[in-house]
Amino acid sequence: MSQEPQSPIRQGRPSMTASMRSSSFLREHQQYRPPSKPENHYGIDTVVEDLQATSVSPPREISPFTGIPSVENPPKIVDGQSHELSHPNCTPLPGSSTNRLIATLFYKSTNPRVSNAIPSPQRIPSPKGSSQSPAIRAADSDLPPTMAPTSKLDDFPLEPPATEPEPLDHLYGANVSPMCIASFLHLMSTFPLPAGSTDLHSSHRCLKIDQTRQDHQPTVVELTLSPAPAADYLPLKDLRKHELIYRFEREWNVDVALRADTLWRRYPRLVVFDMDSTLITQEVIDLLAATIKNPPDLAARVADITHRAMMGELEFDSAFRERVKLLTGLPGTLFNELRPVLDVTKGVRPLLEALKRLGVKTAVLSGGFLPLTSWLAGELGIDYAHANEVVIDEQTGKLTGEVKGRIVGKERKRELLIEIAEKEGISLEQVVAVGDGANDLLMMEAAGLGVAWNAKPMVQMEASSRLNGDSLLDLLHLFGFTEEEVRQLSA
């Protein structure tokens, strides 16, 4: 009896059950699936269903936004504008005090630096075994003589001076460019912060722009840094003289003025000026010497003494008496003849007008001669004028070569500054002193702010700040005034 062949069992079509269904196409088709990892909460519906049976322990409180910016809630208004709310430059919290540093960057457009990168020496192959002398081999190099070692220690130091940094403003813009600001902020971030501070906050304002260019790039920028570098590690006086600050100035062709952000920074009440090479562009005693034709080298001798005294190589009092002796025999009326020759520094007149509108007292303390100093003070509307009084023979009407009373040197200038401040009831913190010579350093030190104006190298390093521009009106930017406000004050 033959058996009927059994029909093969048909397997069911593969299907995906509910337990295998997933909302993720990638997870369904992945080649490897870890067996120990549970596959749940793939779809939003599944998540909502599972959360209904899930209890969060402990429950987390959700604190509503109170409108006060914080690290957790940094609000940003973007409806029609872009504005971020932050607290770094706001009033300090109770129990704390403001610790901000103001850095004002002045681009020196009138004194552009050129690339002075020293190329490598010219290596001219010499015949093998050549007995060429060192002097001849040195002549084959394009290094300047001051950059090469020498056997004469009296002429050059043991080591050649370091090469100057390449001027970067040629690459990134002849102004206070964004790259210049970024470089300065990076430099300041290398200094240690006070204890308890972790972040350095900064903001900036463009105080002046170059109106001669179509792109109107900024030439004076004020940066606010909070907090200031740790004073116990690097006081502000030492920070101003730091080598990195000086190198930055050389790289970007700028002057950096660092000041603590105090109330008195914005409200000076007395500004004291030197006269020669500050309020005017000349040295009066050199003008006097230039009028003497016999002996013919007198002007050069007087100018040499003046230069050495301004550089701090000679004591100012003795140097002044020596120069006055060289002027013996000049008519006393010569001071009147020099009045039209005086060249007032650019920006002085609008600066004094602005200070007058602000109610700031002004003074000129000069190591020159009182007849010219008093006349110039009257012409410019300066409140106080002090200078040296020379002796004029009553019979001949000529200079005797002597000086009456104390020489208005560095000590006397400081004393006069303090006397004027006390007479006006002004704190020294609200006094500004501007000068260019070594005999101005003591009065700069006594004032709340000392400004070296196109000064000698030693004076620039010792002063609180330095300006090397073409207009003394830039002094107002140190107080935080913008170019628009300066125009309003000096109009």
Side-chain angles (χ1 to χ4, degrees):
M1 186 175 179
S2 61
Q3 295 181 354
E4 296 181 2
Q6 296 181 358
S7 60
I9 301 175
R10 181 178 297 177
Q11 297 181 354
R13 297 179 64 182
S15 62
M16 183 179 290
T17 63
S19 61
M20 299 172 60
R21 185 171 292 116
S22 170
S23 61
S24 174
F25 179 85
L26 294 178
R27 291 184 181 274
E28 287 298 331
H29 293 82
Q30 63 183 355
Q31 296 181 0
Y32 173 75
R33 185 179 301 165
S36 59
K37 183 177 180 180
E39 296 183 4
N40 51 6
H41 306 319
Y42 293 137
I44 186 62
D45 295 336
T46 309
V47 172
V48 174
E49 293 175 359
D50 291 348
L51 281 179
Q52 294 178 357
T54 304
S55 61
V56 181
S57 178
R60 186 175 60 180
E61 296 182 0
I62 301 177
S63 58
F65 177 57
T66 61
I68 301 176
S70 64
V71 178
E72 295 80 11
N73 297 293
K76 180 186 292 186
I77 302 173
V78 293
D79 185 12
Q81 59 181 322
S82 178
H83 182 81
E84 293 186 2
L85 300 176
S86 60
H87 274 315
N89 295 324
C90 296
T91 185
L93 297 175
S96 60
S97 58
T98 301
N99 182 21
R100 291 192 294 261
L101 180 69
I102 302 297
T104 310
L105 276 57
F106 296 83
Y107 181 73
K108 297 186 287 186
S109 58
T110 58
N111 185 25
R113 283 189 59 214
V114 296
S115 177
N116 57 354
I118 303 300
S120 59
Q122 300 172 356
R123 298 189 179 276
I124 302 177
S126 57
K128 187 175 181 180
S130 174
S131 58
Q132 209 174 20
S133 66
I136 297 178
R137 290 198 299 270
D140 295 335
S141 174
D142 56 2
L143 287 173
T146 56
M147 295 297 295
T150 177
S151 58
K152 297 181 180 180
L153 301 182
D154 297 335
D155 299 335
F156 300 101
L158 294 176
E159 296 182 0
T163 58
E164 289 287 345
E166 183 74 9
L168 298 179
D169 57 325
H170 291 194
L171 299 176
Y172 299 102
N175 51 76
V176 185
S177 61
M179 188 60 71
C180 174
I181 296 176
S183 177
F184 182 77
L185 293 177
H186 173 72
L187 166 63
M188 297 303 298
S189 67
T190 61
F191 298 123
L193 297 177
S197 301
T198 57
D199 297 322
L200 178 65
H201 300 277
S202 66
S203 62
H204 82 279
R205 295 192 304 149
C206 297
L207 302 184
K208 184 180 181 181
I209 61 175
D210 188 354
Q211 297 185 1
T212 62
R213 296 171 48 177
Q214 293 183 353
D215 51 2
H216 295 161
Q217 295 296 334
T219 56
V220 182
V221 173
E222 180 186 271
L223 290 165
T224 303
L225 305 177
S226 177
D232 54 350
Y233 174 83
L234 191 63
L236 180 57
K237 183 178 180 181
D238 295 335
L239 179 62
R240 288 167 171 157
K241 303 177 184 178
H242 202 283
E243 182 181 355
L244 293 179
I245 299 291
Y246 174 74
R247 186 174 181 87
F248 172 83
E249 291 177 320
R250 298 292 295 166
E251 284 180 339
W252 293 98
N253 195 28
V254 298
D255 285 322
V256 178
L258 300 176
R259 301 189 66 187
D261 188 18
T262 63
L263 177 64
W264 314 126
R265 178 187 76 89
R266 301 186 294 274
Y267 300 102
R269 295 183 59 196
L270 172 64
V271 180
V272 177
F273 298 94
D274 177 39
M275 179 172 167
D276 295 5
S277 298
T278 303
L279 286 181
I280 62 175
T281 60
Q282 311 114 315
E283 292 285 338
V284 171
I285 198 165
D286 293 339
L287 294 177
L288 289 172
T291 62
I292 304 177
K293 305 303 180 182
N294 188 21
D297 63 337
L298 179 61
R301 289 161 56 190
V302 171
D304 178 67
I305 298 174
T306 302
H307 176 72
R308 293 172 63 190
M310 292 297 100
M311 294 290 288
E313 299 175 5
L314 298 177
E315 189 65 29
F316 181 83
D317 292 15
S318 58
F320 183 81
R321 294 184 186 275
E322 183 178 352
R323 286 176 292 178
V324 171
K325 286 182 180 180
L326 295 176
L327 304 179
T328 303
L330 281 176
T333 58
L334 185 61
F335 293 112
N336 298 334
E337 300 174 7
L338 287 179
R339 292 176 181 178
V341 184
L342 298 184
D343 181 29
V344 178
T345 303
K346 179 181 177 182
V348 165
R349 296 184 187 275
L351 170 63
L352 293 172
E353 180 65 27
L355 294 176
K356 185 176 182 180
R357 288 192 173 188
L358 291 171
V360 179
K361 294 293 183 178
T362 53
V364 51
L365 306 180
S366 174
F369 302 93
L370 187 60
L372 279 177
T373 303
S374 299
W375 174 82
L376 183 65
E379 288 291 308
L380 298 177
I382 298 177
D383 300 303
Y384 295 90
H386 294 274
N388 297 301
E389 190 173 356
V390 294
V391 179
I392 300 177
D393 190 282
E394 295 181 356
Q395 297 180 354
T396 62
K398 296 182 179 181
L399 301 179
T400 64
E402 299 177 352
V403 183
K404 183 185 301 183
R406 291 181 58 185
I407 298 294
V408 182
K410 54 185 179 180
E411 290 85 2
R412 183 57 181 159
K413 282 189 175 184
R414 178 178 58 182
E415 293 175 2
L416 289 171
L417 181 146
I418 296 175
E419 289 176 6
I420 296 174
E422 291 180 348
K423 180 180 178 180
E424 295 289 341
I426 298 173
S427 169
L428 291 179
E429 292 180 298
Q430 293 180 273
V431 178
V432 179
V434 186
D436 73 299
N439 62 325
D440 299 319
L441 283 175
L442 289 184
M443 77 170 184
M444 291 183 186
E445 183 180 356
L449 174 67
V451 181
W453 170 251
N454 292 322
K456 311 303 181 293
M458 183 186 71
V459 182
Q460 297 216 24
M461 291 302 297
E462 294 295 330
S464 303
S465 59
R466 47 189 173 270
L467 292 176
N468 293 280
D470 63 337
S471 174
L472 202 55
L473 194 59
D474 288 344
L475 181 68
L476 294 178
H477 295 310
L478 288 177
F479 310 145
F481 292 115
T482 64
E483 186 178 21
E484 180 183 14
E485 293 169 337
V486 170
R487 285 197 300 266
Q488 295 175 0
L489 288 171
S490 57

